Amino acid sequence: MTDPDFPTDSHATPTGEALQSDLTPDPDGDTLSHVPVLAAEVLEMLQPAPGKVFVDGTLGGAGHTGLLLAAGARVYGIDQDPYALNRARTANPHGLTVLEGNYRDMVSLLSGVGVTQVDGILLDIGVSSFQLDDTARGFSYHTEAPLDMRMSQSGESAADVVNEYDAEELASIIYEYGEDRLSRRIARAILAAREQAPIETTVQLADIVKRAYPGFSKGIHPARRTFQALRIHVNDELGALRDGLAAAETLLAPGGRLAVISFHSLEDRIVKRFLLGSEVLEPLTKRPVVAAEEEQETNPRARSAKLRGAQRVTP
């Protein structure tokens, strides 16, 4: 689908290139977390071009959006994070329309601006690099911060969950979303700790989980799975993914393409099963695309990234 009302004036500013240059990582930083993962692979899959219309359902730091804009496409960027929204609106690159909300609601969000079909949709699932880098948001167990984890900055926080849910509910969340075999032990440890004092910070929770792990001394921190589980639960990430995939079927024009980047097995499994079961989408790859060794070495976030894509084949 093309958009005849979208101007492709190469002199309009700021451009996709300008936005993309803003994502260059700090040379003093320890990661390249602001660089979009699988950038070349996403472009090859989505095939952006002047006049085409795309949705970036998880705008975040706008890394992928910058690449789409640089190719001459128009992009509707969706995000629920106030920081990401403010940053994109301040940059105000030519061709980008910023929409506030969750990508699971992209059909109604796009309808609100008069768009009913698009040429491509990108979903980069999970917590964004900017959210991880902002220690005050409570996504990381490495630094002291309020136990929050809310992408939208509204609703139930991770602190609410660990201080109010019973042991069975906590164990279920940690097991289902964190795939941790010690989920019941961790849940009991959380309840015992909160009887002494509310669990309010990331380090408090991380220490509780670490103590629940027998004989832990080094390696991957045992709190990683619990933090992942709480984040997924607080933001209903898997529910949003299922709704977003269904919305993509509705929005894609015939021949339109969907690209989904996931970062753990729970997400990838949902994407794989949805694409295989879809009556209107045809998978573009038999196996997920992963980052080349060079990208994995320079961008740690790319190491667990998996890209799947599909094309709409029926009206």
Side-chain angles (χ1 to χ4, degrees):
M1 190 193 95
T2 59
D3 186 354
D5 296 323
F6 172 56
T8 56
D9 178 7
S10 61
H11 299 291
T13 57
T15 64
E17 290 94 335
L19 179 61
Q20 183 61 23
S21 69
D22 186 40
L23 300 170
T24 302
D26 182 347
D28 297 324
D30 58 355
T31 71
L32 298 179
S33 58
H34 296 170
V35 175
V37 300
L38 295 165
E41 293 83 353
V42 166
L43 291 178
E44 180 180 358
M45 186 170 288
L46 291 180
Q47 300 179 349
K52 285 190 174 183
V53 181
F54 289 85
V55 173
D56 184 343
T58 48
L59 184 61
H64 291 104
T65 280
L67 297 172
L68 297 173
L69 293 173
R74 182 174 187 175
V75 180
Y76 290 89
I78 300 172
D79 211 294
Q80 59 183 332
D81 189 311
Y83 175 81
L85 293 166
N86 181 65
R87 181 180 177 280
R89 287 167 176 158
T90 299
N92 192 31
H94 174 65
L96 174 63
T97 299
V98 179
L99 301 175
E100 180 175 1
N102 192 299
Y103 72 91
R104 71 195 308 168
D105 301 315
M106 71 175 88
V107 173
S108 60
L109 290 171
L110 270 290
S111 177
V113 291
V115 177
T116 57
Q117 283 192 327
V118 297
D119 298 293
I121 297 171
L122 170 65
L123 303 177
D124 185 357
I125 306 303
V127 64
S128 75
S129 299
F130 287 99
Q131 289 165 334
L132 286 173
D133 292 344
D134 185 353
T135 56
R137 301 292 295 276
F139 288 105
S140 173
Y141 47 82
H142 292 296
T143 55
E144 182 83 7
L147 191 58
D148 194 323
M149 301 193 193
R150 296 172 297 175
M151 294 180 183
S152 66
Q153 296 288 275
S154 63
E156 183 180 61
S157 70
D160 294 329
V161 175
V162 299
N163 286 295
E164 297 175 8
Y165 283 32
D166 64 30
E168 283 298 315
E169 291 172 319
L170 286 172
S172 177
I173 290 169
I174 296 168
Y175 182 78
E176 182 177 357
Y177 299 144
E179 299 180 297
D180 196 314
R181 61 184 179 82
L182 296 183
S183 59
R184 291 184 181 277
R185 183 178 185 138
I186 294 168
R188 290 195 297 270
I190 289 173
L191 261 67
R194 78 188 194 194
E195 287 180 359
Q196 305 302 315
I199 303 169
E200 298 177 338
T201 72
T202 52
V203 171
Q204 274 183 282
L205 179 60
D207 287 344
I208 292 166
V209 176
K210 184 168 67 174
R211 289 196 299 270
Y213 260 72
F216 172 76
S217 59
K218 61 181 180 179
I220 297 175
H221 198 294
R224 180 179 65 85
R225 293 180 181 273
T226 296
F227 271 63
Q228 171 184 294
L230 288 170
R231 192 203 78 220
I232 289 173
H233 173 77
V234 165
N235 297 288
D236 190 22
E237 292 180 30
L238 301 188
L241 175 57
R242 293 186 182 95
D243 290 346
L245 292 170
E249 283 189 323
T250 300
L251 275 175
L252 284 173
R257 292 188 164 202
L258 168 67
V260 185
I261 302 173
S262 61
F263 290 89
H264 59 74
S265 59
L266 294 173
E267 296 168 341
D268 183 60
R269 194 176 305 132
I270 290 172
V271 177
K272 176 183 177 180
R273 290 176 177 173
F274 183 88
L275 296 183
L276 290 175
S278 175
E279 297 181 355
V280 300
L281 297 176
E282 182 176 282
L284 293 170
T285 57
K286 291 183 178 180
R287 295 182 177 86
V289 177
V290 298
E293 184 175 334
E294 181 180 356
E295 181 180 1
Q296 293 187 39
E297 291 177 352
T298 58
N299 186 358
R301 187 170 182 255
R303 293 171 188 165
S304 57
K306 293 183 178 180
L307 170 65
R308 292 186 187 270
Q311 184 170 24
R312 179 155 188 144
V313 293
T314 62

Short mmCIF file of all heavy atoms in Angstrom, two decimals, residues 16 19-25 31-43 56 58-68 87 122 124 128-130 261 263 291-292 295-296 298-303 305 307:
data_model
loop_
_atom_site.label_atom_id
_atom_site.label_comp_id
_atom_site.label_asym_id
_atom_site.label_seq_id
_atom_site.Cartn_x
_atom_site.Cartn_y
_atom_site.Cartn_z
N GLY A 16 15.10 10.93 8.81
CA GLY A 16 15.36 9.65 9.46
C GLY A 16 16.82 9.51 9.83
O GLY A 16 17.17 8.97 10.87
N LEU A 19 17.48 11.37 13.06
CA LEU A 19 17.01 10.64 14.23
C LEU A 19 17.94 9.49 14.54
O LEU A 19 18.29 9.24 15.68
CB LEU A 19 15.59 10.13 13.99
CG LEU A 19 14.97 9.31 15.13
CD1 LEU A 19 14.86 10.16 16.39
CD2 LEU A 19 13.60 8.81 14.72
N GLN A 20 18.35 8.77 13.47
CA GLN A 20 19.23 7.63 13.68
C GLN A 20 20.56 8.04 14.29
O GLN A 20 21.12 7.36 15.13
CB GLN A 20 19.46 6.90 12.35
CG GLN A 20 20.31 5.63 12.48
CD GLN A 20 19.67 4.61 13.38
OE1 GLN A 20 18.46 4.62 13.58
NE2 GLN A 20 20.46 3.72 13.94
N SER A 21 21.10 9.21 13.90
CA SER A 21 22.37 9.65 14.45
C SER A 21 22.28 9.92 15.94
O SER A 21 23.27 9.82 16.65
CB SER A 21 22.84 10.93 13.72
OG SER A 21 22.00 12.02 14.04
N ASP A 22 21.09 10.23 16.41
CA ASP A 22 20.89 10.48 17.84
C ASP A 22 21.01 9.20 18.65
O ASP A 22 21.10 9.23 19.86
CB ASP A 22 19.51 11.12 18.06
CG ASP A 22 19.29 11.53 19.50
OD1 ASP A 22 20.24 12.05 20.11
OD2 ASP A 22 18.18 11.34 20.01
N LEU A 23 21.01 8.05 17.97
CA LEU A 23 21.05 6.77 18.66
C LEU A 23 22.46 6.23 18.78
O LEU A 23 22.66 5.14 19.28
CB LEU A 23 20.18 5.75 17.91
CG LEU A 23 18.72 6.16 17.80
CD1 LEU A 23 18.00 5.24 16.84
CD2 LEU A 23 18.05 6.14 19.14
N THR A 24 23.46 6.98 18.29
CA THR A 24 24.84 6.52 18.41
C THR A 24 25.20 6.37 19.88
O THR A 24 25.00 7.29 20.66
CB THR A 24 25.79 7.54 17.76
OG1 THR A 24 25.42 7.70 16.40
CG2 THR A 24 27.24 7.03 17.85
N PRO A 25 25.73 5.21 20.28
CA PRO A 25 25.99 4.98 21.70
C PRO A 25 27.11 5.85 22.23
O PRO A 25 28.02 6.26 21.51
CB PRO A 25 26.38 3.50 21.74
CG PRO A 25 26.89 3.20 20.37
CD PRO A 25 26.05 4.06 19.45
N THR A 31 27.77 -0.75 26.78
CA THR A 31 27.04 -1.53 25.79
C THR A 31 26.65 -0.63 24.64
O THR A 31 26.75 0.59 24.71
CB THR A 31 25.75 -2.15 26.38
OG1 THR A 31 24.80 -1.10 26.60
CG2 THR A 31 26.02 -2.90 27.67
N LEU A 32 26.18 -1.27 23.58
CA LEU A 32 25.64 -0.54 22.44
C LEU A 32 24.13 -0.70 22.43
O LEU A 32 23.50 -0.96 21.43
CB LEU A 32 26.24 -1.08 21.13
CG LEU A 32 27.75 -0.93 20.98
CD1 LEU A 32 28.20 -1.52 19.65
CD2 LEU A 32 28.16 0.52 21.06
N SER A 33 23.53 -0.54 23.60
CA SER A 33 22.13 -0.88 23.79
C SER A 33 21.17 -0.01 22.99
O SER A 33 20.03 -0.37 22.82
CB SER A 33 21.77 -0.80 25.28
OG SER A 33 22.03 0.49 25.78
N HIS A 34 21.64 1.15 22.53
CA HIS A 34 20.73 2.04 21.80
C HIS A 34 20.73 1.76 20.30
O HIS A 34 20.02 2.39 19.55
CB HIS A 34 21.10 3.50 22.06
CG HIS A 34 20.93 3.90 23.49
ND1 HIS A 34 21.40 5.09 24.00
CD2 HIS A 34 20.35 3.26 24.53
CE1 HIS A 34 21.12 5.16 25.29
NE2 HIS A 34 20.49 4.06 25.62
N VAL A 35 21.58 0.86 19.86
CA VAL A 35 21.62 0.49 18.45
C VAL A 35 20.55 -0.56 18.19
O VAL A 35 20.46 -1.54 18.92
CB VAL A 35 23.01 -0.07 18.09
CG1 VAL A 35 23.03 -0.56 16.65
CG2 VAL A 35 24.07 1.00 18.31
N PRO A 36 19.70 -0.38 17.18
CA PRO A 36 18.64 -1.36 16.93
C PRO A 36 19.21 -2.71 16.54
O PRO A 36 20.12 -2.80 15.71
CB PRO A 36 17.85 -0.73 15.77
CG PRO A 36 18.81 0.19 15.09
CD PRO A 36 19.69 0.72 16.20
N VAL A 37 18.69 -3.76 17.13
CA VAL A 37 19.18 -5.10 16.84
C VAL A 37 18.66 -5.57 15.49
O VAL A 37 17.58 -5.16 15.03
CB VAL A 37 18.78 -6.10 17.94
CG1 VAL A 37 19.34 -5.68 19.29
CG2 VAL A 37 17.27 -6.27 18.01
N LEU A 38 19.46 -6.41 14.84
CA LEU A 38 19.07 -7.02 13.56
C LEU A 38 18.60 -5.98 12.55
O LEU A 38 17.65 -6.21 11.80
CB LEU A 38 17.99 -8.07 13.80
CG LEU A 38 18.41 -9.28 14.63
CD1 LEU A 38 17.19 -10.07 15.11
CD2 LEU A 38 19.32 -10.20 13.81
N ALA A 39 19.27 -4.83 12.51
CA ALA A 39 18.82 -3.72 11.68
C ALA A 39 18.74 -4.09 10.20
O ALA A 39 17.72 -3.87 9.54
CB ALA A 39 19.74 -2.52 11.88
N ALA A 40 19.83 -4.65 9.66
CA ALA A 40 19.85 -5.00 8.24
C ALA A 40 18.81 -6.07 7.93
O ALA A 40 18.14 -6.03 6.89
CB ALA A 40 21.24 -5.47 7.84
N GLU A 41 18.65 -7.02 8.84
CA GLU A 41 17.70 -8.11 8.63
C GLU A 41 16.26 -7.61 8.64
O GLU A 41 15.41 -8.08 7.87
CB GLU A 41 17.91 -9.19 9.69
CG GLU A 41 19.24 -9.93 9.60
CD GLU A 41 20.40 -9.20 10.26
OE1 GLU A 41 20.22 -8.04 10.69
OE2 GLU A 41 21.50 -9.79 10.34
N VAL A 42 15.97 -6.65 9.53
CA VAL A 42 14.63 -6.06 9.59
C VAL A 42 14.32 -5.32 8.30
O VAL A 42 13.23 -5.44 7.73
CB VAL A 42 14.50 -5.13 10.80
CG1 VAL A 42 13.24 -4.26 10.69
CG2 VAL A 42 14.44 -5.95 12.09
N LEU A 43 15.28 -4.54 7.81
CA LEU A 43 15.06 -3.79 6.57
C LEU A 43 14.85 -4.74 5.39
O LEU A 43 13.99 -4.49 4.53
CB LEU A 43 16.25 -2.87 6.30
CG LEU A 43 16.42 -1.68 7.25
CD1 LEU A 43 17.66 -0.88 6.88
CD2 LEU A 43 15.18 -0.78 7.23
N ASP A 56 5.59 1.08 13.66
CA ASP A 56 6.54 0.57 14.64
C ASP A 56 5.75 0.51 15.94
O ASP A 56 5.54 1.52 16.61
CB ASP A 56 7.74 1.50 14.77
CG ASP A 56 8.81 0.93 15.73
OD1 ASP A 56 8.47 0.02 16.51
OD2 ASP A 56 9.95 1.41 15.70
N THR A 58 6.41 -0.72 18.77
CA THR A 58 7.18 -0.59 20.00
C THR A 58 8.28 0.42 19.75
O THR A 58 9.45 0.07 19.60
CB THR A 58 7.76 -1.95 20.42
OG1 THR A 58 8.39 -2.57 19.29
CG2 THR A 58 6.65 -2.88 20.92
N LEU A 59 7.93 1.68 19.69
CA LEU A 59 8.82 2.75 19.25
C LEU A 59 10.11 2.82 20.05
O LEU A 59 11.20 2.91 19.48
CB LEU A 59 8.08 4.09 19.32
CG LEU A 59 8.81 5.33 18.80
CD1 LEU A 59 9.15 5.18 17.33
CD2 LEU A 59 7.95 6.56 19.04
N GLY A 60 10.03 2.81 21.38
CA GLY A 60 11.21 2.81 22.21
C GLY A 60 12.15 3.95 21.87
O GLY A 60 11.77 5.11 21.79
N GLY A 61 13.42 3.61 21.62
CA GLY A 61 14.42 4.60 21.26
C GLY A 61 14.39 5.00 19.81
O GLY A 61 15.22 5.79 19.36
N ALA A 62 13.44 4.46 19.04
CA ALA A 62 13.21 4.81 17.64
C ALA A 62 14.35 4.41 16.72
O ALA A 62 14.51 4.97 15.64
CB ALA A 62 12.91 6.30 17.50
N GLY A 63 15.15 3.43 17.12
CA GLY A 63 16.24 2.98 16.27
C GLY A 63 15.78 2.40 14.95
O GLY A 63 16.25 2.80 13.88
N HIS A 64 14.85 1.46 15.01
CA HIS A 64 14.32 0.88 13.77
C HIS A 64 13.51 1.90 12.98
O HIS A 64 13.58 1.94 11.75
CB HIS A 64 13.46 -0.35 14.08
CG HIS A 64 14.24 -1.52 14.60
ND1 HIS A 64 14.23 -1.87 15.93
CD2 HIS A 64 15.05 -2.40 13.98
CE1 HIS A 64 15.01 -2.93 16.10
NE2 HIS A 64 15.51 -3.28 14.93
N THR A 65 12.75 2.72 13.69
CA THR A 65 11.97 3.76 13.01
C THR A 65 12.88 4.68 12.21
O THR A 65 12.57 5.07 11.08
CB THR A 65 11.15 4.56 14.03
OG1 THR A 65 9.98 3.81 14.37
CG2 THR A 65 10.69 5.89 13.45
N GLY A 66 14.01 5.05 12.79
CA GLY A 66 14.95 5.91 12.07
C GLY A 66 15.40 5.31 10.76
O GLY A 66 15.54 6.01 9.75
N LEU A 67 15.59 4.00 10.74
CA LEU A 67 16.01 3.33 9.52
C LEU A 67 14.88 3.31 8.48
O LEU A 67 15.13 3.47 7.28
CB LEU A 67 16.44 1.90 9.85
CG LEU A 67 17.66 1.77 10.77
CD1 LEU A 67 17.86 0.32 11.18
CD2 LEU A 67 18.90 2.32 10.11
N LEU A 68 13.66 3.10 8.94
CA LEU A 68 12.52 3.10 8.03
C LEU A 68 12.32 4.49 7.42
O LEU A 68 12.06 4.63 6.22
CB LEU A 68 11.26 2.65 8.76
CG LEU A 68 11.25 1.22 9.29
CD1 LEU A 68 10.01 0.97 10.14
CD2 LEU A 68 11.30 0.20 8.14
N ARG A 87 10.54 11.86 23.91
CA ARG A 87 11.77 11.91 23.14
C ARG A 87 11.49 11.96 21.64
O ARG A 87 12.09 12.74 20.90
CB ARG A 87 12.63 10.69 23.47
CG ARG A 87 13.96 10.65 22.74
CD ARG A 87 14.75 9.41 23.13
NE ARG A 87 15.99 9.34 22.38
CZ ARG A 87 16.08 8.91 21.13
NH1 ARG A 87 15.01 8.50 20.50
NH2 ARG A 87 17.25 8.89 20.51
N LEU A 122 6.34 -3.54 12.48
CA LEU A 122 7.47 -4.04 13.25
C LEU A 122 7.11 -4.07 14.73
O LEU A 122 6.59 -3.09 15.27
CB LEU A 122 8.70 -3.14 13.06
CG LEU A 122 9.89 -3.41 13.99
CD1 LEU A 122 10.47 -4.79 13.71
CD2 LEU A 122 10.94 -2.33 13.87
N ASP A 124 9.16 -4.97 18.24
CA ASP A 124 10.40 -5.30 18.95
C ASP A 124 9.99 -5.50 20.40
O ASP A 124 9.88 -4.55 21.17
CB ASP A 124 11.39 -4.15 18.77
CG ASP A 124 12.75 -4.45 19.38
OD1 ASP A 124 12.90 -5.53 19.98
OD2 ASP A 124 13.65 -3.61 19.26
N SER A 128 12.61 -1.99 26.58
CA SER A 128 13.51 -1.31 25.66
C SER A 128 14.84 -1.00 26.33
O SER A 128 14.96 -1.01 27.55
CB SER A 128 12.88 -0.01 25.17
OG SER A 128 12.93 0.99 26.18
N SER A 129 15.84 -0.71 25.50
CA SER A 129 17.16 -0.37 26.03
C SER A 129 17.09 0.86 26.93
O SER A 129 17.75 0.94 27.96
CB SER A 129 18.13 -0.12 24.88
OG SER A 129 18.27 -1.27 24.09
N PHE A 130 16.28 1.84 26.54
CA PHE A 130 16.17 3.06 27.32
C PHE A 130 15.55 2.78 28.69
O PHE A 130 15.93 3.40 29.69
CB PHE A 130 15.36 4.12 26.57
CG PHE A 130 16.11 4.72 25.42
CD1 PHE A 130 15.89 4.29 24.13
CD2 PHE A 130 17.06 5.71 25.64
CE1 PHE A 130 16.60 4.83 23.07
CE2 PHE A 130 17.76 6.27 24.58
CZ PHE A 130 17.54 5.82 23.29
N ILE A 261 10.56 -9.13 16.59
CA ILE A 261 11.80 -9.48 17.28
C ILE A 261 11.44 -9.84 18.72
O ILE A 261 10.83 -9.04 19.44
CB ILE A 261 12.79 -8.31 17.29
CG1 ILE A 261 13.12 -7.86 15.87
CG2 ILE A 261 14.08 -8.71 18.02
CD1 ILE A 261 13.96 -6.60 15.80
N PHE A 263 12.87 -11.87 22.53
CA PHE A 263 14.12 -12.04 23.26
C PHE A 263 14.12 -13.21 24.24
O PHE A 263 15.11 -13.40 24.95
CB PHE A 263 14.47 -10.73 24.00
CG PHE A 263 14.86 -9.63 23.07
CD1 PHE A 263 13.90 -8.78 22.54
CD2 PHE A 263 16.17 -9.45 22.69
CE1 PHE A 263 14.25 -7.76 21.66
CE2 PHE A 263 16.54 -8.45 21.81
CZ PHE A 263 15.57 -7.60 21.29
N ALA A 291 21.14 -12.80 15.16
CA ALA A 291 22.20 -11.84 14.84
C ALA A 291 23.49 -12.55 14.48
O ALA A 291 23.82 -13.61 15.02
CB ALA A 291 22.43 -10.91 16.03
N ALA A 292 24.23 -11.95 13.55
CA ALA A 292 25.53 -12.47 13.17
C ALA A 292 26.48 -12.37 14.36
O ALA A 292 26.27 -11.58 15.30
CB ALA A 292 26.09 -11.68 12.00
N GLU A 295 27.66 -8.86 15.30
CA GLU A 295 26.70 -8.02 16.02
C GLU A 295 26.55 -8.48 17.46
O GLU A 295 26.42 -7.65 18.36
CB GLU A 295 25.34 -8.04 15.32
CG GLU A 295 24.32 -7.15 16.03
CD GLU A 295 22.94 -7.13 15.37
OE1 GLU A 295 22.76 -7.83 14.35
OE2 GLU A 295 22.06 -6.41 15.88
N GLN A 296 26.56 -9.78 17.69
CA GLN A 296 26.44 -10.27 19.05
C GLN A 296 27.61 -9.83 19.91
O GLN A 296 27.45 -9.58 21.11
CB GLN A 296 26.35 -11.80 19.04
CG GLN A 296 25.07 -12.33 18.42
CD GLN A 296 24.92 -13.82 18.58
OE1 GLN A 296 25.25 -14.37 19.62
NE2 GLN A 296 24.42 -14.50 17.56
N THR A 298 29.34 -6.97 19.49
CA THR A 298 29.33 -5.52 19.70
C THR A 298 28.07 -5.03 20.39
O THR A 298 28.07 -3.95 20.98
CB THR A 298 29.48 -4.78 18.36
OG1 THR A 298 28.42 -5.18 17.47
CG2 THR A 298 30.82 -5.11 17.72
N ASN A 299 26.99 -5.79 20.32
CA ASN A 299 25.73 -5.39 20.93
C ASN A 299 25.17 -6.56 21.75
O ASN A 299 24.50 -7.44 21.20
CB ASN A 299 24.72 -4.96 19.86
CG ASN A 299 23.43 -4.40 20.46
OD1 ASN A 299 23.26 -4.36 21.68
ND2 ASN A 299 22.52 -3.97 19.61
N PRO A 300 25.44 -6.60 23.04
CA PRO A 300 25.02 -7.73 23.87
C PRO A 300 23.53 -8.04 23.78
O PRO A 300 23.13 -9.19 23.91
CB PRO A 300 25.42 -7.29 25.28
CG PRO A 300 26.55 -6.33 25.07
CD PRO A 300 26.22 -5.60 23.82
N ARG A 301 22.70 -7.01 23.58
CA ARG A 301 21.25 -7.25 23.53
C ARG A 301 20.88 -8.14 22.35
O ARG A 301 19.84 -8.81 22.37
CB ARG A 301 20.52 -5.91 23.45
CG ARG A 301 19.00 -6.02 23.56
CD ARG A 301 18.34 -4.66 23.71
NE ARG A 301 16.91 -4.80 23.88
CZ ARG A 301 16.01 -4.54 22.94
NH1 ARG A 301 16.42 -4.11 21.75
NH2 ARG A 301 14.73 -4.67 23.16
N ALA A 302 21.72 -8.16 21.32
CA ALA A 302 21.41 -8.93 20.12
C ALA A 302 21.59 -10.43 20.32
O ALA A 302 21.11 -11.23 19.51
CB ALA A 302 22.27 -8.46 18.95
N ARG A 303 22.26 -10.81 21.39
CA ARG A 303 22.60 -12.23 21.55
C ARG A 303 21.39 -13.13 21.68
O ARG A 303 21.41 -14.28 21.26
CB ARG A 303 23.52 -12.40 22.76
CG ARG A 303 24.89 -11.76 22.58
CD ARG A 303 25.69 -11.74 23.86
NE ARG A 303 26.91 -10.97 23.70
CZ ARG A 303 27.66 -10.54 24.70
NH1 ARG A 303 27.30 -10.82 25.96
NH2 ARG A 303 28.75 -9.84 24.47
N ALA A 305 18.26 -12.16 20.60
CA ALA A 305 17.21 -11.69 19.69
C ALA A 305 16.89 -12.73 18.62
O ALA A 305 17.79 -13.34 18.03
CB ALA A 305 17.64 -10.38 19.03
N LEU A 307 14.30 -13.05 15.17
CA LEU A 307 13.42 -12.32 14.25
C LEU A 307 12.62 -13.31 13.42
O LEU A 307 13.17 -14.20 12.77
CB LEU A 307 14.26 -11.43 13.33
CG LEU A 307 13.55 -10.77 12.14
CD1 LEU A 307 12.50 -9.76 12.62
CD2 LEU A 307 14.56 -10.09 11.23
#
